[in-house]
């Protein structure tokens, strides 16, 4: 066992407020870095012990694979290189107080290999001395030589890992798609290509994968591929990679049959056993997949997405599945890890995945408007539209992913068509190969259609996310007043259906609800029309609503 793994598995003996990577809140990382380890690369943090009352983590200790950092009120910050320690000594002595009472004095003395010693008791205030000494001694005993004390990244998305890891990961996903019928169908092919786009594989690296996807006879065993991952993925990230892999495979399984439990699929059952992921963790992974699916299927707004993500994050630690594992390869709906990180930041949840510094601070769409301006938008209903920003961003990311997937599929069709031409030129002796390659082209063409349909769906949903679910008739009537705007008003009203709702008092009221089954082109016309009349403009909308309401009031008075 490596030093890093030993620390992560044993550090919790130091108390209840111990946080282990990658499940460390951004607030605690920033607090600990600011006082204990200024300038430290946050990727290398293994664990933080927080001894503060209010949870800032500015006091306590912090571990990497090379150092332990401490900070306590009155003692200040300290840094000890783990490889220089020979042992930690726990000393407990009885001290007689002035009032005659006997108290125990507990201390920790660090002994170094150069013969020096240091009493660090004041530096680890509120951390149990005996347990701290036990942990340090365990770390020292775990290492065979100084080279075992290294710091590696604990939170690196799959797109930033080396290409061999990406290839093994994709091949394992391919093996699953082969497992039921020895071939990859159009839907499966489209999903694998979408995954390849999300983890950013270069064109030359995709050549090997392309061949792998079309040659079942030459597939590599799961055992060999898993062994490659275990050997080449940094130990701090391996657990996250395993759970991410299972997530991507379960998602593709659900695409074919949402009603089938993962327990009914022999490939998944064997894989989850081989990866040593327990049933509760698999169930959590399934719930995370469903959460992503429902963001689009249920057309969740930003408030609903924030709530569901917070619920997901709160359960992650309890079951031992870091949220980073769920989004290591991006979202199953087609958004990259960078896109997910960006989206969470826009919802005020930045850093919740704990990804590396390259994935933090990404520019995001921030909702504008405060004070009176925000109040006006609430009154006019425009705040409801702005509450769809996250879904709109996600749909845009899906469109980009699908467009790139389509480009990759076209590349594959072109490559395989060249092969077909070569075999045709060889004549009848290549008849079997010709049939096989023709079937591949048919499958790829269908895969391209699946991806094209996904783009169309996302484009339509993107427009819907910008349209009012309930139409303000008074505002529309006021903004389209006059004969010249009659056609615009008719177009707008044709996209809404009259519906009724009953309140708690039994009073029935009518409203106009968006007919979201309309074609994408008609919905785009609707958006352009609403934008053209100033429906989305705060000033125009507010004035029209006030004027319309005043007219309605006067009509009711005049009878």
């Amino acid at each position: 066992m490596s030093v890093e793994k030993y620390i992560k598995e044993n550090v919790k003996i130091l108390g209840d407020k111990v946080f282990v990577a990658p499940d460390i809140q951004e607030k605690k990382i920033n607090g600990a870095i600011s006082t204990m380890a200024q300038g430290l690369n946050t990727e290398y943090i293994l664990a933080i012990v927080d001894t503060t009352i209010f949870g800032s983590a500015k006091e306590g200790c912090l571990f990497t694979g090379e150092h332990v950092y401490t900070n306590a009120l009155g003692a200040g910050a300290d840094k000890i290189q783990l490889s220089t320690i020979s042992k930690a000594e726990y000393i407990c002595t009885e001290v007689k107080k002035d009032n005659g009472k006997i108290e125990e004095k507990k201390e920790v003395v660090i002994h170094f290999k150069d013969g020096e010693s240091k009493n660090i008791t004041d530096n680890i205030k509120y951390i149990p001395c005996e347990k701290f000494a036990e942990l340090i001694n365990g770390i020292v005993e775990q290492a065979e030589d100084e080279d075992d004390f290294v710091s590696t990244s604990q939170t690196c998305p799959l797109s930033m890992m080396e290409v061999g890891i990406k290839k093994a990961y994709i091949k394992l996903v391919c093996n699953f798609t082969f497992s039921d019928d020895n071939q990859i169908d159009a839907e499966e092919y489209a999903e694998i290509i979408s995954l390849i786009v999300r983890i950013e594989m270069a064109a030359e690296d995709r050549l090997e994968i392309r061949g792998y996807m079309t040659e079942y006879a030459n597939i590599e065993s799961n055992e060999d591929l898993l062994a490659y991952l275990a050997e080449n993925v940094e130990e701090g990230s391996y657990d996250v990679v395993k759970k991410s892999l299972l997530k991507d495979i379960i998602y593709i399984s659900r695409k074919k049959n949402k009603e089938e439990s993962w327990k009914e699929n022999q490939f998944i059952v064997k894989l989850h056993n081989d990866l040593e992921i327990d049933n509760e963790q698999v169930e959590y992974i399934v719930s995370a997949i469903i959460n992503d699916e429902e963001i689009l299927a249920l057309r969740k707004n930003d408030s609903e997405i924030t709530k569901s993500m917070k619920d997901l994050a709160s359960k992650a630690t309890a079951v031992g599945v870091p949220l980073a594992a769920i989004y290591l390869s991006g979202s199953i709906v087609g958004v990259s890890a960078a896109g997910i990180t960006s989206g969470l930041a826009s919802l005020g949840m930045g850093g919740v995945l704990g990804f590396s510094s390259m994935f933090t601070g990404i520019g995001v769409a921030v909702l504008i408007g405060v004070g009176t301006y925000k109040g006006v938008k609430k009154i006019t209903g425009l705040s409801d539209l702005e509450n769809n920003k996250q879904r709109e961003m996600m749909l845009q990311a899906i469109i980009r992913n699908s467009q790139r997937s389509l480009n990759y599929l076209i590349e594959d069709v072109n490559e395989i068509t060249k092969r077909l031409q070569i075999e045709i030129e060889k004549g009848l002796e290549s008849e079997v190969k010709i049939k096989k390659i023709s079937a591949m082209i048919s499958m790829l063409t269908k895969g391209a259609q699946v991806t094209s349909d996904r783009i169309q769906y996302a484009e339509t949903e993107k427009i819907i996310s910008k349209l009012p679910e309930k139409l303000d008739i008074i505002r529309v009537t006021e903004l389209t007043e006059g004969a010249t705007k009659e056609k615009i008003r008719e177009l707008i009203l044709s996209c809404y259906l009259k519906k009724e709702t009953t309140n708690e008092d039994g009073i029935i009221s009518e409203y106009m609800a968006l007919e979201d089954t309309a074609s994408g082109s008609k919905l785009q016309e609707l958006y352009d029309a609403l934008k053209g009349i100033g429906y989305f403009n705060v000033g125009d909308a507010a004035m029209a609503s006030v004027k319309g309401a005043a007219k309605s009031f006067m009509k009711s008075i005049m009878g």
Side-chain angles (χ1 to χ4, degrees), residues 231-485:
E231 185 177 342
N232 290 276
V233 175
E234 290 183 349
E235 194 169 40
S237 299
Y238 183 56
D239 185 62
V240 176
V241 170
K242 291 192 305 183
K243 286 162 179 150
S244 173
L245 173 65
L246 194 62
K247 176 214 67 175
D248 284 322
I249 286 174
I250 290 175
Y251 169 66
I252 292 178
S253 174
R254 283 177 54 81
K255 288 291 287 186
K256 300 191 78 171
N257 185 359
K258 280 186 168 61
E259 301 304 316
E260 181 185 63
S261 166
W262 65 270
K263 295 178 182 178
E264 299 173 56
N265 189 293
Q266 291 183 357
F267 186 101
I268 294 175
V269 169
K270 185 176 187 312
L271 183 64
H272 109 274
N273 286 325
D274 290 343
L275 296 176
E276 299 180 341
I277 300 173
D278 65 42
N279 287 10
E280 186 181 18
Q281 292 175 331
V282 182
E283 293 295 346
Y284 174 79
I285 289 169
V286 172
S287 69
I289 292 171
I290 293 172
N291 178 70
D292 271 16
E293 292 171 342
E294 289 182 345
I295 287 175
L296 298 183
L298 303 183
R299 291 177 178 154
K300 291 184 177 181
N301 60 32
D302 290 0
S303 301
E304 292 167 333
I305 293 172
T306 301
K307 182 181 183 304
S308 64
M309 288 302 298
K310 285 182 176 177
D311 289 344
L312 202 62
S314 67
K315 295 172 185 173
T317 304
V319 297
V321 180
L323 207 58
I326 302 300
Y327 296 110
L328 191 78
S329 66
S331 165
I332 45 88
V333 296
V335 185
S336 68
I340 290 294
T341 304
S342 175
L344 290 172
S346 72
L347 296 174
M349 298 176 69
V352 71
L353 299 185
F355 282 150
S356 69
S357 55
M358 286 182 68
F359 276 71
T360 57
I362 299 173
V364 295
V366 180
L367 304 183
I368 60 171
V370 292
T372 305
Y373 184 62
K374 234 176 180 180
V376 172
K377 285 194 289 186
K378 184 67 178 175
I379 294 169
T380 58
L382 297 183
S383 60
D384 292 335
L385 293 177
E386 290 204 341
N387 203 20
N388 285 327
K389 288 293 182 183
Q390 174 60 21
R391 183 157 58 93
E392 184 184 341
M393 288 169 62
M394 179 177 282
L395 289 164
Q396 185 59 51
I398 292 169
I399 291 167
R400 286 195 300 270
N401 174 282
S402 299
Q403 286 171 336
R404 289 180 64 190
S405 297
L406 200 55
N407 291 338
Y408 289 1
L409 282 163
I410 291 170
E411 282 181 23
D412 287 356
V413 170
N414 290 339
E415 178 63 28
I416 293 173
T417 301
K418 289 178 186 176
R419 277 199 237 168
L420 178 61
Q421 186 63 40
I422 292 170
E423 297 301 329
I424 290 173
E425 290 172 359
K426 288 181 180 178
L428 292 176
E429 69 272 15
S430 295
E431 184 179 350
V432 174
K433 282 189 176 181
I434 290 171
K435 287 182 179 179
K436 184 176 180 180
I437 294 173
S438 297
M440 286 181 195
I441 291 175
S442 175
M443 182 267 289
L444 289 173
T445 304
K446 290 176 182 176
Q449 184 59 55
V450 169
T451 305
S452 181
D453 292 344
R454 184 177 295 165
I455 293 174
Q456 183 60 49
Y457 167 78
E459 290 279 13
T460 301
E461 286 293 314
K462 183 183 170 189
I463 298 169
I464 290 174
S465 72
K466 296 188 288 186
L467 293 170
E469 185 179 345
K470 294 181 181 179
L471 190 68
D472 186 332
I473 295 292
I474 294 175
R475 189 192 312 172
V476 170
T477 302
E478 194 64 35
L479 290 171
T480 57
E481 191 175 31
T484 58
K485 294 182 179 177

